[in-house]
Amino acid sequence: MNLHVRWLGFAKTIQIAKAQEIWSLINDSYSNSPEQYHTLSHIQDCLQLLDSHRDLASSLEAVELALWFHDAVYDPKATDNEEASAGLLSLHIQGGLAERAARLILLTRHTEPPTTPDGKLIVDIDLSILGQSTDRFDLYEMQIRNEYAWVPEDTFRSKRAQVLRQFISRDSIYSTARFKNLFEDRARDNIARSLSRL
C-alpha cells in the first residue's frame, strides 16, 4: 500500500483542501525510527484491517480519518497524546466528519468501552496487535520498550504489567464479535506470556 497515494485519494473523496500539505504533516508526525511502534507502518496495518472489515463501520470515512490521525501526536512522556492528536486533526480539518473522527480518536485511550459501531471498530483495530502471531507480538513489545527507553527497567516492567493486566482482566478485550473471534484467544495468550516475563 502506498500511503501517500492512499491519503491523496481519500482526501479527494472527502473533499479535504490542502491534501498534500496535510500529507506532509502526517508523514512528519509518524516519521519515527522503525525500531518504534507508532510509525506509518502502524497506520498501514490499521488501514489494511479497516479495508478487510469495512462492513462493520457506520461511517467508514470517519473511521479512516481517525485512523490516519490517532497517533499523530505521540510523546511517551505525555499523558494526553490522544487529545493532542484529536486537536491536531481539528486544527487542520473542519466539519462534521472531522468532529466525529476526533471523538473516535479519544476512544483509543482505551479507558472506557466503546458503544457505537465506529467506536468499537477503531478500538478493535488499534488493539489488534495484541492478537497477532507470537513473533509479531514480541516485536511489538520490543518496539514499545524502545519508545520508553528512558524509563528505568524496573519502572517499565511495573507500568507495562499494569497496562497489560488492564486488558486481560476484561471480560473481552475486543468489542466486536468478529475481532473477538479472530484475535481474543491469541491476545490473551500473548499477554499472559508477556506478563510472565515482567
Side-chain angles (χ1 to χ4, degrees):
M1 178 190 299
N2 184 312
L3 289 178
H4 186 193
V5 172
R6 168 84 177 234
W7 168 257
L8 292 179
F10 176 65
K12 183 177 181 180
T13 297
I14 63 173
Q15 299 180 326
I16 292 177
K18 299 182 179 179
Q20 180 59 46
E21 181 180 314
I22 295 174
W23 164 253
S24 296
L25 171 72
I26 291 170
N27 190 48
D28 291 345
S29 296
Y30 291 104
S31 291
N32 300 318
S33 164
E35 295 181 352
Q36 297 178 330
Y37 178 67
H38 294 90
T39 65
L40 282 175
S41 292
H42 171 52
I43 302 306
Q44 179 167 310
D45 291 342
C46 288
L47 292 173
Q48 287 174 335
L49 271 173
L50 178 62
D51 290 345
S52 297
H53 304 286
R54 57 193 299 126
D55 59 298
L56 297 179
S58 175
S59 173
L60 185 63
E61 292 81 7
V63 176
E64 175 157 353
L65 184 57
L67 286 173
W68 279 107
F69 276 87
H70 79 283
D71 285 322
V73 178
Y74 188 79
D75 178 359
K77 296 183 179 181
T79 59
D80 63 345
N81 288 312
E82 292 79 13
E83 290 85 351
S85 294
L88 186 68
L89 166 60
S90 299
L91 179 65
H92 292 277
I93 305 172
Q94 287 78 45
L97 180 66
E99 291 172 4
R100 294 198 302 277
R103 289 194 294 271
L104 291 173
I105 289 172
L106 297 180
L107 293 175
T108 64
R109 292 176 294 193
H110 305 297
T111 56
E112 56 190 43
T115 58
T116 66
D118 290 341
K120 292 177 181 180
L121 180 57
I122 192 171
V123 166
D124 280 4
I125 287 174
D126 197 36
L127 294 180
S128 64
I129 185 63
L130 300 177
Q132 298 301 313
S133 69
T134 298
D135 288 345
R136 181 65 190 93
F137 179 82
D138 287 348
L139 175 60
Y140 156 71
E141 288 283 89
M142 182 188 72
Q143 290 170 328
I144 294 297
R145 183 64 183 107
N146 289 341
E147 290 182 345
Y148 287 86
W150 50 277
V151 178
E153 186 66 20
D154 287 349
T155 302
F156 177 82
R157 287 174 177 266
S158 174
K159 297 294 186 182
R160 187 64 181 161
Q162 287 180 18
V163 170
L164 294 177
R165 286 193 189 104
Q166 170 203 340
F167 290 122
I168 205 170
S169 66
R170 298 178 180 180
D171 291 338
S172 177
I173 295 170
Y174 297 98
S175 298
T176 64
R178 188 179 301 169
F179 275 70
K180 184 175 180 178
N181 289 336
L182 287 170
F183 299 119
E184 185 81 22
D185 290 345
R186 192 180 299 135
R188 290 188 176 276
D189 289 345
N190 282 335
I191 292 172
R193 188 167 46 82
S194 185
L195 286 170
S196 72
R197 298 183 300 207
L198 292 173

